């Protein structure tokens, strides 16, 4: 058996086109567009590249985009004031703080200062609680788990009644995706097991999975013999295992590997996501979807 590839790069284009169409429709009907502010503190190269990608994507979709690049030395108070300003700004529907923040700033305090109705990353405790309750309560599912769920649905894999095993229990991937897939509703209704470093016999849990979601950050953790034949394998792991020189640019680029032994696993699985090009591209895509939805909630409430 050779698994079908679920490519995030392809799904990203499909979903971004849908968002673009919806933005144009809302602009024509109501004269408004989604507004997103990206707040970057300092000049960390990785953060800068993430923010740049978010800004580029927002522009491509026809969003209003505001960039707030602040110096490393900004005080916590000034940052909180900036957030308060965008909380009040009716043309802004999503506020993004690029993490990590400098050590003198309390990250939790800053993230919790964002209006939960503009928290398009879905990290505010109010949105985490809404996700836990499920159904109509959910406003902004956090983006990587939302991307994973979307990939499984669009691949045509049945989630209802499936045995789902999630490897990893982090607040940004493992816990939210487990919670989303066990909800009563469409694209969910699964029987979910979450495993972690204290789990006895990880392999036996993985072998039961119709859908195996791996978010551990350990390259090659999941062995092919742990995979049920025909299962859907979602590899969230992004691990730098070395560097190579790009033929195109002559620059050094990272060699990335997932948490699953891809070449062997694809011979057993029914569906599998590659790394890179799998879950990765879905995160920013879902961030854009959350920002569009934020505007739609606003329009619906008058
Ligand atoms: P994390 O906060 O480090 O959590 C890792 C989880 O995996 C923990 O719950 C840990 O268990 C569990 N784990 C680690 N080693 C294990 C092992 N040997 N056996 C069983 N469980 C193990 O990581 P994260 O933020 O969730 O990220 C996980 C991976 O996904 C990373 O490679 C990250 O780069 C990637 N990621 C990708 C995206 C994306 O593509 N957009 C987004 C987010 C994360 P304990 O709780 O017991 O320690």
């Amino acid at each position: 058996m050779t698994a079908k590839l679920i490519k995030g790069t392809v799904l990203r284009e499909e979903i971004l086109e849908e968002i673009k169409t919806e933005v144009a429709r809302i602009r024509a009907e109501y004269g408004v567009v989604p507004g997103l502010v990206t707040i970057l503190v300092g000049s960390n190269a990785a953060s800068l590249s993430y923010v740049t990608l978010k800004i580029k994507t927002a522009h491509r979709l026809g969003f209003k985009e505001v960039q707030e690049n602040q110096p490393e030395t900004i005080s916590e108070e000034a940052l909180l004031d900036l957030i308060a300003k965008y909380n009040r700004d009716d043309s802004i529907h999503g506020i993004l703080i690029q993490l990590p923040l400098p050590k003198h700033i309390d990250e939790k305090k800053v993230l919790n200062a964002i209006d939960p109705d503009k928290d398009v990353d879905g990290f505010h405790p109010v949105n985490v609680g809404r996700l836990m309750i499920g159904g109509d309560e959910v406003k902004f599912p956090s983006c990587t788990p939302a991307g994973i769920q979307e990939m499984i649905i669009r691949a045509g894999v049945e989630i209802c009644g499936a045995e789902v095993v999630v490897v990893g229990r982090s607040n940004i991937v493992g816990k939210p995706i487990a919670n989303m897939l066990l909800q009563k509703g469409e694209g969910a209704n699964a029987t979910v097991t979450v495993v972690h470093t204290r789990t006895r016999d990880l392999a036996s849990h993985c072998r039961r999975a119709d859908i195996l979601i791996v978010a551990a950050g350990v390259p090659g953790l999941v062995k092919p013999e742990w995979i049920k034949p025909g299962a859907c394998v979602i590899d969230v792991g992004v691990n730098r295992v070395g560097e190579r020189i790009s033929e195109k640019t002559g620059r050094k680029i990272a060699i990335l590997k997932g948490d699953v032994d891809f070449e062997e696993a694809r011979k057993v699985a029914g569906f599998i996501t590659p790394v890179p090009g799998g879950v990765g591209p879905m995160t920013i895509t879902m961030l854009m979807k959350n920002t569009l939805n934020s505007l739609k909630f606003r329009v619906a409430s008058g």
Side-chain angles (χ1 to χ4, degrees):
M1 179 186 294
T2 305
K4 285 190 187 143
L5 282 189
I6 311 177
K7 290 187 179 171
T9 42
V10 173
L11 292 179
R12 169 183 60 197
E13 294 310 306
E14 200 175 297
I15 298 166
L16 290 181
E17 277 313 303
E18 291 167 11
I19 296 174
K20 200 170 161 185
T21 306
E22 189 67 352
V23 170
R25 183 190 68 77
I26 293 173
R27 187 178 51 220
E29 203 166 320
Y30 300 98
V32 286
V33 295
L36 180 67
V37 59
T38 51
I39 303 178
L40 174 68
V41 178
S43 54
N44 175 288
S47 295
L48 189 61
S49 102
Y50 289 134
V51 165
T52 307
L53 195 55
K54 289 169 188 174
I55 293 166
K56 250 169 87 176
T57 311
H59 281 155
R60 171 180 162 189
L61 299 174
F63 286 15
K64 169 182 166 170
E65 213 290 321
V66 181
Q67 299 166 47
E68 280 285 359
N69 291 358
Q70 296 295 326
E72 184 90 19
T73 50
I74 188 172
S75 68
E76 184 177 284
E77 200 186 354
L79 190 56
L80 291 171
D81 284 347
L82 194 65
I83 293 168
K85 174 181 143 189
Y86 288 109
N87 280 344
R88 289 189 302 268
D89 184 338
D90 284 342
S91 72
I92 293 296
H93 310 95
I95 301 175
L96 280 183
I97 315 273
Q98 187 63 47
L99 300 178
L101 292 172
K103 287 205 166 47
H104 67 277
I105 295 176
D106 180 344
E107 218 162 80
K108 204 163 149 190
K109 196 167 170 187
V110 167
L111 291 180
N112 290 356
I114 298 173
D115 178 348
D117 289 339
K118 296 189 180 190
D119 167 45
V120 287
D121 261 333
F123 292 151
H124 193 288
V126 167
N127 285 316
V128 175
R130 286 170 171 165
L131 194 78
M132 182 83 178
I133 296 166
D136 292 346
E137 284 291 330
V138 183
K139 284 203 152 179
F140 306 119
S142 56
C143 300
T144 301
I148 294 169
Q149 187 180 35
E150 196 71 32
M151 293 180 101
I152 303 171
I153 293 171
R154 288 188 187 231
V157 173
E158 182 68 272
I159 301 176
C160 180
E163 286 278 347
V164 172
V165 174
V166 179
V167 183
R169 55 177 166 183
S170 70
N171 286 331
I172 63 163
V173 190
K175 279 195 261 182
I177 188 61
N179 189 39
M180 285 160 82
L181 297 184
L182 67 76
Q183 295 294 342
K184 196 165 190 168
E186 255 179 68
N189 282 322
T191 304
V192 183
T193 305
V194 182
V195 297
H196 44 77
T197 54
R198 311 299 156 93
T199 298
R200 272 185 244 129
D201 198 357
L202 197 62
S204 74
H205 287 286
C206 292
R207 272 190 211 109
R208 276 192 293 107
D210 301 310
I211 301 172
L212 179 60
I213 300 168
V214 193
V218 180
L221 173 68
V222 170
K223 311 290 175 251
E225 59 273 21
W226 296 10
I227 296 169
K228 181 174 173 180
C232 172
V233 178
I234 307 289
D235 189 354
V236 191
V238 181
N239 306 292
R240 282 170 178 258
V241 293
E243 279 181 341
R244 64 181 178 83
I245 305 291
S246 160
E247 280 176 24
K248 250 194 207 164
T249 61
R251 284 204 205 131
K252 276 189 193 165
I253 48 175
I255 301 173
L256 301 178
K257 273 215 181 330
D259 289 350
V260 177
D261 177 351
F262 177 78
E263 284 310 328
E264 292 303 314
R266 69 186 304 190
K267 297 176 189 163
V268 186
F271 297 83
I272 193 164
T273 58
V275 178
V279 175
M282 297 298 285
T283 301
I284 291 183
T285 306
M286 301 319 283
L287 186 67
M288 298 299 145
K289 193 165 176 180
N290 277 350
T291 309
L292 168 65
N293 283 340
S294 180
L295 169 65
K296 286 166 92 171
F297 296 137
R298 185 80 62 79
V299 167
S301 70

